[in-house]
Amino acid sequence: DHADEAGRMNMCSALSHVLSDTARSITTLIESFVIIFGNVNGTKADAYSAMIVSCIIIVGVAKSLHQWSLDAMKFANGEELDDDADGLENFAADEEAKRGSVTNGTSEVGTVEA
């Protein structure tokens, strides 16, 4: 279903955002120690830190950008788009199982009471 796929894409985007914020926070913490104890120029340290985080983000989304570009080319040529059967079917089955256990009144940690 397209709504489920859009929801998964939205969650992946949110996760990417959280992970990039976490990477920036970690590099900022390390950067602060390097500035304090290493007598390093803060402006340069911040620039290197930003470059490191940017590279991590680019590497993290490279596969998604590649798949998107392939799908865009297929769409532009009027070809039918392939479903990511390997990942999406397994993901969808897991999500359906989770939804089923919640709607049936049970969860992994116990019973949900109304």
Side-chain angles (χ1 to χ4, degrees), residues 16 51-66:
S16 297
M51 287 173 41
I52 290 169
V53 171
S54 296
C55 289
I56 291 170
I57 292 169
I58 289 169
V59 167
V61 299
K63 184 182 183 317
S64 296
L65 288 174
H66 176 71

Side-chain angles (χ1 to χ4, degrees), residues 14-28:
L15 178 62
S16 297
H17 187 99
V18 168
L19 291 177
S20 64
D21 285 347
T22 302
R24 181 62 177 159
S25 296
I26 291 169
T27 57
T28 301

Side-chain angles (χ1 to χ4, degrees), residues 73-107:
M73 291 299 293
K74 285 181 181 180
F75 182 77
N77 292 329
E79 299 174 27
E80 187 171 328
L81 299 178
D82 298 329
D83 289 334
D84 183 10
D86 295 336
L88 289 180
E89 284 181 5
N90 294 336
F91 186 83
D94 291 343
E95 289 299 308
E96 285 298 319
K98 287 179 188 174
R99 272 193 233 133
S101 65
V102 171
T103 56
N104 292 334
T106 64
S107 68

